[in-house]
Amino acid sequence: MPLDTIYLTRHGHRLSWTIDFRTGTYRAQFPTPTGNPADPALTSHGVRQSHELAEHISAPQFHPKPFRIYSSPFYRCLQTIQPSVEELKRISAESGRSQQDGEIGSIDRHAELDVRIENGLGEWFGATDFFDHPSHPTSEIMSTHFPTLIPEASQTYIPLLIPSRRGETIKQLHNRLATALEGIIADIDAEVSAVEAELPPNQRTSKAVLICAHAAPLIAMGRVLTGRMPDDSSEEDFNVFTAGLSTFKRRGASSTASAGHGGDKEESSSEKPLAEGTTFIRASVSPPQWRNGRGVGGGWDCVANGDCSFLSNGAERGWHFDGEESFNTGPMALPSDLPVNVGATKL
């Protein structure tokens, strides 16, 4: 059977940065591990959240366990899933072949738990016409910080795309995530098919993927998986609390999507579907058709929306869109000027 479960989690509570809207200069609240001012580490509370997430995912009743793991390339995301990945690897190594595939709480013996760095899942930066946002960290750099997650031998994963450093509109962000998820789902489906071609039908089990990313991209992921784009992008439809966990189940071939929102109609606009400057490595240059309840990969249903029941402090630091995050005042703007349509700061 193909991939049937997707877990989405947001990084834990992190340190902050600021940006000078007139110049595009980023400054970190504290020195960052990678030197990138927009790539801060977690706070001590965020680290605690990461361990509570790991305890939840590694618990025997959590099923199905991840078969593949993907992450945004930013430090805070890898730091959040590090305890989970290390614990899953420990369980897998200790259990070996003693557990039967499909047994509740078991880890599939064909699971590959090294983290795949996918730039297409990276942070959202608003559109700008006069400066470049900070670049995404590379897997080579991040492997020096997280060798247990990205060992040198596993650095063979090639990302699907790299977002434009000139930022994106909300529409372009959604299309970017649709493009990335379509590629991820296709990759995993092909890998599962190759594995199961050698197995009898009664040994083919449920397969899941864990993805760690950021607030805005996770909301966009929920929308492109279900195919539901609200009329107002600021609608609070998918919860993205720090270290919260959402679960999506793949629709069966016989299932039908429920009636869509009026805003699901494709927008006619001169705006490019994906931001100019997006680098396509393995992904198609045209985003998939995901609206009107269609969803990528055949469509998915959200069965757990931002679950935080396993976190000691519960749901924290929710976020939602509040207009475009545009930085188009230009470098010659007056000191008193603000950027056009600045959205809420992501936490």
Side-chain angles (χ1 to χ4, degrees):
M1 62 176 67
L3 175 71
D4 58 27
T5 305
I6 294 178
Y7 301 117
L8 301 181
T9 189
R10 182 183 171 194
H11 60 76
H13 185 274
R14 63 160 173 79
L15 296 170
S16 299
W17 68 78
T18 60
I19 178 173
D20 185 329
F21 296 126
R22 294 167 298 141
T23 64
T25 302
Y26 280 78
R27 292 184 176 86
Q29 181 184 20
F30 296 98
T32 63
T34 62
N36 181 335
D39 192 24
L42 299 180
T43 64
S44 59
H45 178 53
V47 171
R48 181 166 57 252
Q49 288 179 314
S50 75
H51 286 280
E52 291 175 341
L53 175 66
E55 184 177 355
H56 177 62
I57 290 175
S58 62
Q61 64 270 23
F62 187 90
H63 187 80
K65 293 282 193 290
F67 176 78
R68 300 286 188 264
I69 301 172
Y70 287 75
S71 176
S72 157
F74 286 88
Y75 192 95
R76 55 194 178 275
C77 290
L78 288 162
Q79 190 179 12
T80 297
I81 59 173
Q82 182 175 18
S84 297
V85 175
E86 291 178 346
E87 182 62 12
L88 289 173
K89 286 186 173 184
R90 185 193 66 78
I91 294 170
S92 179
E94 288 186 356
S95 62
R97 296 178 179 270
S98 62
Q99 293 188 101
Q100 294 295 317
D101 285 345
E103 181 181 336
I104 297 298
S106 68
I107 297 175
D108 193 292
R109 68 179 184 275
H110 300 103
E112 295 178 5
L113 299 175
D114 290 340
V115 178
R116 298 177 176 184
I117 298 298
E118 177 51 62
N119 298 68
L121 303 172
E123 180 65 285
W124 177 48
F125 296 105
T128 170
D129 58 9
F130 71 94
F131 69 89
D132 287 340
H133 293 290
S135 60
H136 283 53
T138 65
S139 59
E140 291 77 15
I141 290 175
M142 301 317 289
S143 69
T144 65
H145 294 279
F146 300 97
T148 59
L149 274 58
I150 319 167
E152 186 174 349
S154 75
Q155 293 179 38
T156 57
Y157 178 78
I158 300 172
L160 292 152
L161 60 92
I162 298 175
S164 171
R165 291 189 62 189
R166 283 301 174 100
E168 304 160 303
T169 65
I170 291 175
K171 179 181 177 181
Q172 290 168 339
L173 169 72
H174 283 72
N175 285 334
R176 187 243 295 178
L177 268 301
T179 303
L181 284 174
E182 180 185 51
I184 288 171
I185 293 167
D187 281 352
I188 299 177
D189 281 348
E191 292 169 19
V192 172
S193 294
V195 166
E196 294 190 339
E198 307 298 324
L199 297 174
N202 65 346
Q203 292 184 25
R204 298 172 185 174
T205 62
S206 181
K207 299 293 191 295
V209 60
L210 172 64
I211 296 174
C212 185
H214 315 262
L218 286 168
I219 293 173
M221 282 188 239
R223 291 170 176 174
V224 303
L225 287 170
T226 60
R228 304 294 178 215
M229 183 67 194
D231 294 307
D232 181 355
S233 63
S234 66
E235 180 177 311
E236 298 186 44
D237 45 0
F238 293 101
N239 297 326
V240 287
F241 304 110
T242 49
L245 193 69
S246 293
T247 305
F248 293 80
K249 292 288 186 178
R250 202 169 199 165
R251 295 175 191 146
S254 61
S255 69
T256 57
S258 56
H261 295 282
D264 280 350
K265 296 178 182 178
E266 294 292 345
E267 301 171 13
S268 57
S269 169
S270 59
E271 179 184 296
K272 292 186 176 181
L274 289 160
E276 187 170 353
T278 301
T279 302
F280 301 93
I281 301 175
R282 294 192 297 120
S284 168
V285 298
S286 299
Q289 299 296 312
W290 57 271
R291 296 171 180 252
N292 300 307
R294 181 179 295 150
V296 296
W300 303 72
D301 295 318
C302 183
V303 299
N305 188 2
D307 176 29
C308 296
S309 60
F310 53 90
L311 297 172
S312 56
N313 282 23
E316 296 179 280
R317 290 193 154 326
W319 187 91
H320 64 89
F321 289 97
D322 187 17
E324 299 284 358
E325 290 194 352
S326 178
F327 302 92
N328 291 334
T329 56
M332 301 304 292
L334 295 173
S336 59
D337 287 350
L338 292 174
V340 178
N341 296 327
V342 177
T345 301
K346 289 180 285 298
L347 298 173

